[in-house]
Amino acid sequence: QVHLVESGGGLVQPGGSLRLSCAASGSIFAITDMGWYRQAPGKQRDLVASITRGGRSQYVESVKGRFTISRDNAKNTVDLQMSSLNPEDTAVYYCYSLMAGGYTYWGQGTQVTVSS
């Protein structure tokens, strides 16, 4: 199995930046995609960004140009650099890893709050 540990969440003002990090351990060889979901109060958990082992990334339309996902296979980490944050970005952000067999592991979540 895979264990994911997230860090980097916090409180920022609108227009500010945060960098989220996720470190994976365990059966790293079986991971295909990694990325980030987020869930705001009263809303469903939505995919924000994903990245393959080869570095191909995808983003939800609302964060394109503002968020950048990166992955270091040697260090078994995936990061999410967030800039130009707005209150609509406020949510709990969850790191995930998609396994070759279709199973998904989740991190514990880290709170991102954008408020003045």
Side-chain angles (χ1 to χ4, degrees), residues 16-114:
S17 299
L18 278 178
R19 186 178 183 90
L20 306 182
S21 296
C22 175
S25 61
S27 302
I28 305 301
F29 64 91
I31 297 176
T32 57
D33 298 346
M34 296 188 73
W36 297 86
Y37 278 72
R38 67 184 180 186
Q39 186 169 26
K43 298 184 178 180
Q44 67 180 14
R45 186 177 297 186
D46 294 326
L47 179 65
V48 178
S50 65
I51 186 168
T52 67
R53 290 188 63 84
R56 179 174 60 84
S57 60
Q58 292 182 311
Y59 302 89
V60 67
E61 186 67 27
S62 60
V63 309
K64 288 182 178 178
R66 301 188 298 118
F67 291 10
T68 301
I69 190 170
S70 60
R71 180 172 179 172
D72 189 331
N73 292 329
K75 296 181 179 180
N76 301 320
T77 59
V78 59
D79 292 354
L80 186 68
Q81 177 65 50
M82 306 183 295
S83 62
S84 301
L85 288 164
N86 58 65
E88 288 68 44
D89 296 315
T90 295
V92 177
Y93 284 70
Y94 297 90
C95 176
Y96 77 91
S97 64
L98 176 64
M99 313 307 292
Y103 192 86
T104 300
Y105 290 97
W106 299 93
Q108 79 284 359
T110 184
Q111 177 71 47
V112 173
T113 302
V114 185

